[in-house]
């Protein structure tokens, strides 16, 4: 199990606390420092069953600068979104846990963290 975190994020810290309380074995990826490639983002999206716009933090200043709210949300625009997430990882929703069964969850709630643990 791997968890993508931003240490400054309270949701990330909460997820780590819960994982520790449950005695989970996991690896931490500080994705702002160890930036995921486009290929890794595609793989995580496949595991999540989501599209890149579903995990984009559109309220971030970088998102406003890029104008992502105006971007099309269709198959033809998917690559543009993925490239933006790879170039600007701060836009990636967090935390993301990749579960042992090959799936992943955006773990913003205790329930989502527990769901990842149960997989």
């Amino acid at each position: 199990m791997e968890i993508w975190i931003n240490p400054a994020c309270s949701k990330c810290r909460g997820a780590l606390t819960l994982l520790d309380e449950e005695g989970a074995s996991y690896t931490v990826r500080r994705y702002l420092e160890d930036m995921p490639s486009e290929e890794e983002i595609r793989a995580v999206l496949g595991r999540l069953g989501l599209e890149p716009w579903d995990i984009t933090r559109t309220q971030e200043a970088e998102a406003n600068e890029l104008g992502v709210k105006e971007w099309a949300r269709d198959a033809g625009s998917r690559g543009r979104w993925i490239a933006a997430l790879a170039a600007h990882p701060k836009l990636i929703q967090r935390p993301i846990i990749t579960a042992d069964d090959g799936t992943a969850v955006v773990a913003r709630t205790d329930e989502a963290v527990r769901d990842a643990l149960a997989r």
Side-chain angles (χ1 to χ4, degrees):
M1 176 179 304
E2 181 177 75
I3 181 169
W4 291 11
I5 68 157
N6 173 351
C9 169
S10 63
K11 298 284 187 189
C12 294
R13 292 190 307 269
L16 291 173
T17 297
L18 184 54
L19 289 172
D20 289 341
E21 288 172 357
E22 296 293 326
S25 175
Y26 62 91
T27 302
V28 172
R29 180 170 186 173
R30 294 179 179 214
Y31 70 91
L32 297 179
E33 299 163 17
D34 182 9
M35 297 168 39
S37 66
E38 290 184 30
E39 185 175 313
E40 289 174 302
I41 292 169
R42 279 188 195 87
V44 163
L45 288 167
R47 293 176 79 163
L48 287 166
L50 297 173
E51 293 295 339
W53 45 85
D54 296 327
I55 65 163
T56 300
R57 298 174 56 83
T58 58
Q59 300 303 316
E60 292 288 337
E62 290 178 52
N64 290 329
E65 290 169 15
L66 294 170
V68 298
K69 287 184 182 179
E70 308 306 318
W71 292 2
R73 297 177 182 217
D74 57 26
S77 301
R78 193 170 198 267
R80 180 182 190 191
W81 284 85
I82 291 169
L85 293 175
H88 306 277
K90 192 173 187 179
L91 299 180
I92 299 172
Q93 189 59 264
R94 65 204 180 233
I96 293 176
I97 297 176
T98 56
D100 291 337
D101 72 349
T103 62
V105 296
V106 177
R108 296 191 54 78
T109 65
D110 288 353
E111 294 77 25
V113 174
R114 286 188 182 95
D115 180 41
L117 286 168
R119 294 179 183 201

